[in-house]
Amino acid sequence: MRGVGKSWRRGPLGSPRFLVGLGMIGAVCLLSALADSLARFDPTRSGVFPLSPPDATHWLGTDELGRDIVSRVLYGGRPSLLIGIGAAALSTLIGVPIGLVAGYVGGRLDRLTMQLVNLLISVPGLILALIITAMIGPSLTNLVLVLGFVTWPRVARLVRGQALAIRETVFVEAARAAGGGAAWIVRMHILPNTLAIIATQFSLTVAYSIFTSASLSFLGVGIPPPTPDWGGMVRSGLNYLALNPTMALAPSVAVAITVLGFFFLGSTRK
Amino acid sequence: MIADASGASLVDVKGLTKRFDIRKGAFARVAAQVHAVENVSFQIKEGEVLGLAGESGSGKTTIGRMLLRLIEASSGSIRFMGEEIAGFDRARLLAFRGQAQIVFQDPFASLDPTMTVGEAIAEPLRIQGMKAGSPELRQRIAELLEAVALQPDFTLRRPEELSGGQRQRVVIARALSVNPKFIVADEPVSSLDVSIQAQIIGLLERLQRRSGLTMLFISHDLAVMEYMSDRIAVLYLGRLMEIGPAHDVIAAPKHPYTEALISAIPDAAQRTGRKRVILTGEIPSAIAPPAGCVFHTRCRYALAACTQGVPELRETRPGHYKACIRDDLL
């Protein structure tokens, strides 16, 4: 298997798509982190001029309660990023070990695991997340749990496929000939050769989770108000589209930039 | 069967057989069996190089893998230093892995791209219990790199930066790291450029001489094999056709198959003054091998009797055996 794992080490840094993605995410992270000093208004305090169009004070206008939209978009990035990264981390923590074991051990265990994984993948993630969130109630932690649960099967299936391929390589046979046991081979050969795929999938999972959490908020089972949250802002903005379109547009653009950024990062493979 | 009084045998193979099951249908029932290796017996003495020759699919690689217990034999016995390797427990198997090593054919596939050269060479030593990053380990890697004529700074390089010949040197250094007694070299040069082949063969020969390594040298290239080996065994369809001293087998083959194989070496036909023997037809299927002598379908000397019984290996000259019923030729 020539060139396995190469893309990870030699790095996709030369690729413009990767750099653009990195730049987009860097900007979003920076703006969210510095929201305290950048935002000129308290994102949760109501104002006396609801639904005012953009002007010199409120660059993107105000929402139905007179809150500054710029400030709300800045603060709204925090839960989105936390949910996205948290869910991707959880999904990696569950999916990678399961995929590695299924792929390396093979046989009946593999068949059983893959049946479950394929079953979970076949259910649309948003519907599954919607049902579970409606059951356990929306909160930051619950959203991370739900989205981690919805996304781990994809990670497991991908890692399992790679483990299966690496298991058959000559260098793994060489390791076996040198006396390496299952634990050694998984740790020294299969995992390192799977890292590139894991990193890629991590990024795509962050994108998917942010998008899905925004969708959940939009459907009314997201972060409860008054915490600013992009999905929720789009939802309430829709009611006032004619009066102040930026109310729905600004958070939509923010979601788009973040999701695209992580997508670019994750879909760069050489 | 083939007893040899001079020197103790390190590897002793008796009646070695490997059949792979071909499974079909929903219940994975065994539909057929591939007779990869049938009833092969030979010995390799301490310090000896035994060449294993044969076409692709003749079972050479399967035998090499079985000798190292990388795949299990279907039946037969493999003794290493007098011990049955199938009976090894975990601890003994790990020790065995430190005594018997392998060099694979494709140096591009046999090194993990995520490991540096130093890590690859250190792997067998670490599995045997040496601490990563210890001064002894570093010292040993430096010695090994020197032994295979690579610069010390190769330690930190990645396989992707190396040429095929350099990679094969790393693979050899790795195999030698644990000071093995026995090495299976499975077509170690056949994927390299011809100019590099000579260097690697020279290196293998030097290392073998220096430490008195015992080696099973698998190849389809008889010229290389004659140079490397003390004795040569010839396989056809998983059966041993002939085994004897390297020079005798090449210069005066006793088996019709060996004769044909040798006449295919470009300059051997002239050297031995024999005519080129061109085999007709294809190798028969290993799923349904011919009855009697497996070579009779393509043998120009075949008689009716050849289809009857499987010929035994018989000694025709001291130390030279053939599995052919015709004593009137060659």
Side-chain angles (χ1 to χ4, degrees):
Chain A
M1 184 147 289
R2 217 173 279 193
V4 167
K6 235 184 204 173
S7 53
W8 175 241
R9 193 178 37 266
R10 193 170 272 170
L13 275 169
S15 144
R17 170 185 261 227
F18 184 86
L19 290 176
V20 168
L22 205 63
M24 289 162 80
I25 294 165
V28 171
C29 287
L30 208 65
L31 291 174
S32 304
L34 300 178
D36 286 326
S37 40
L38 289 176
R40 294 160 66 225
F41 299 92
D42 181 341
T44 55
R45 211 183 58 196
S46 309
V48 285
F49 302 111
L51 297 171
S52 64
D55 58 32
T57 327
H58 300 288
W59 294 340
L60 292 175
T62 59
D63 67 4
E64 80 277 21
L65 296 175
R67 298 174 294 197
D68 181 49
I69 291 176
V70 174
S71 308
R72 283 184 68 75
V73 168
L74 284 173
Y75 277 98
R78 292 179 171 183
S80 291
L81 287 172
L82 278 178
I83 289 168
I85 292 166
L90 181 64
S91 136
T92 306
L93 275 170
I94 305 174
V96 170
I98 290 179
L100 284 177
V101 170
Y104 187 76
V105 176
R108 186 172 297 174
L109 180 74
D110 179 37
R111 280 197 297 277
L112 229 72
T113 316
M114 282 308 112
Q115 301 247 328
L116 173 70
V117 160
N118 287 328
L119 181 80
L120 287 173
I121 289 177
S122 68
V123 181
L126 179 62
I127 310 270
L128 197 60
L130 191 65
I131 295 168
I132 305 174
T133 317
M135 272 160 42
I136 63 176
S139 73
L140 199 78
T141 322
N142 280 357
L143 281 170
V144 167
L145 290 176
V146 166
L147 290 166
F149 177 76
V150 168
T151 49
W152 75 263
R154 267 174 212 287
V155 177
R157 191 162 71 173
L158 217 63
V159 168
R160 176 255 183 188
Q162 182 75 354
L164 214 59
I166 300 294
R167 190 181 70 167
E168 301 303 323
T169 58
V170 182
F171 61 77
V172 164
E173 194 181 12
R176 213 170 282 140
W184 176 274
I185 287 169
V186 168
R187 189 162 53 92
M188 302 301 288
H189 297 284
I190 299 199
L191 190 59
N193 279 291
T194 314
L195 278 183
I197 281 185
I198 294 175
T200 294
Q201 188 61 21
F202 184 91
S203 195
L204 294 177
T205 306
V206 174
Y208 176 85
S209 301
I210 290 175
F211 186 78
T212 308
S213 82
S215 306
L216 287 174
S217 297
F218 180 78
L219 293 169
V221 290
I223 309 267
T227 312
D229 159 70
W230 292 340
M233 289 168 72
V234 177
R235 175 186 161 92
S236 40
L238 270 189
N239 299 327
Y240 307 100
L241 214 49
L243 295 168
N244 186 6
T246 54
M247 202 179 145
L249 270 179
S252 302
V253 169
V255 171
I257 289 175
T258 315
V259 169
L260 262 180
F262 277 106
F263 181 76
F264 281 162
L265 215 59
S267 57
T268 308
R269 308 268 327 265
K270 269 206 205 155
Chain B
M1 187 166 24
I2 303 162
D4 205 319
S6 58
S9 62
L10 185 78
V11 180
D12 189 348
V13 177
K14 277 204 183 71
L16 189 60
T17 299
K18 179 69 190 181
R19 293 181 178 169
F20 292 104
D21 293 338
I22 298 173
R23 293 176 185 278
K24 272 198 183 133
F27 299 99
R29 78 192 154 79
V30 179
Q33 281 189 321
V34 176
H35 299 236
V37 176
E38 279 292 313
N39 196 22
V40 167
S41 304
F42 59 82
Q43 297 173 328
I44 311 175
K45 280 176 294 189
E46 195 131 18
E48 185 187 38
V49 178
L50 176 69
L52 195 55
E55 296 162 80
S56 331
S58 59
K60 309 184 296 273
T61 296
T62 307
I63 290 180
R65 299 276 201 281
M66 283 194 286
L67 293 196
L68 296 180
R69 225 182 111 173
L70 291 175
I71 52 177
E72 305 286 335
S74 302
S75 65
S77 128
I78 300 167
R79 286 175 176 275
F80 182 80
M81 295 166 74
E83 285 176 274
E84 191 65 50
I85 67 166
F88 285 169
D89 60 11
R90 258 180 103 93
R92 181 67 187 91
L93 186 63
L94 183 61
F96 173 65
R97 298 272 181 243
Q99 294 169 319
Q101 273 295 314
I102 186 162
V103 174
F104 290 99
Q105 171 175 2
D106 183 357
F108 287 91
S110 46
L111 291 173
D112 187 332
T114 63
M115 278 189 170
T116 62
V117 166
E119 286 167 347
I121 295 176
E123 187 177 23
L125 292 165
R126 288 185 57 196
I127 291 171
Q128 294 293 333
M130 238 190 218
K131 285 266 173 303
S134 64
E136 305 99 281
L137 189 61
R138 231 169 284 166
Q139 173 66 27
R140 183 83 186 116
I141 292 169
E143 286 168 19
L144 288 160
L145 282 175
E146 199 191 335
V148 297
L150 289 176
Q151 299 296 316
D153 65 343
F154 270 70
T155 316
L156 294 175
R157 298 226 198 150
R158 303 262 173 194
E160 69 198 41
E161 304 166 45
L162 309 187
S163 69
Q166 290 170 333
R167 284 179 192 223
Q168 202 60 311
R169 286 173 195 270
V170 173
V171 171
I172 291 168
R174 174 189 155 92
L176 292 174
S177 65
V178 285
N179 268 326
K181 287 177 169 306
F182 176 54
I183 284 192
V184 172
D186 186 1
E187 305 254 14
V189 296
S190 34
S191 61
L192 302 176
D193 292 343
V194 177
S195 56
I196 308 297
Q197 284 190 1
Q199 290 177 15
I200 298 294
I201 287 294
L203 173 69
L204 272 176
E205 197 208 4
R206 261 202 321 283
L207 294 169
Q208 189 271 329
R209 287 244 174 95
R210 197 168 70 185
S211 42
L213 265 177
T214 309
M215 201 185 287
L216 180 73
F217 188 86
I218 299 172
S219 181
H220 58 263
D221 183 339
L222 286 167
V224 165
M225 181 163 288
E226 184 189 7
Y227 179 76
M228 273 303 289
S229 312
D230 299 308
R231 285 191 303 143
I232 291 178
V234 180
L235 277 180
Y236 180 76
L237 263 183
R239 276 88 169 163
L240 210 51
M241 297 285 112
E242 177 167 4
I243 181 167
H247 182 73
D248 289 3
V249 171
I250 302 290
K254 293 291 170 222
H255 193 284
Y257 175 63
T258 317
E259 181 199 25
L261 204 59
I262 285 160
S263 79
I265 309 175
D267 67 340
Q270 293 153 10
R271 214 171 43 168
T272 54
R274 286 175 202 269
K275 269 230 192 94
R276 213 129 168 220
V277 183
I278 304 207
L279 286 183
T280 52
E282 297 284 319
I283 297 192
S285 158
I287 294 171
C293 172
V294 285
F295 187 57
H296 82 256
T297 52
R298 302 168 81 192
C299 180
R300 58 180 180 149
Y301 308 110
L303 304 172
C306 292
T307 63
Q308 296 308 315
V310 177
E312 292 267 314
L313 269 182
R314 289 174 303 121
E315 193 163 17
T316 55
R317 287 206 295 174
H320 197 153
Y321 300 77
K322 69 166 179 177
C324 179
I325 57 169
R326 294 202 57 175
D327 288 330
D328 51 328
L329 34 98
L330 300 171

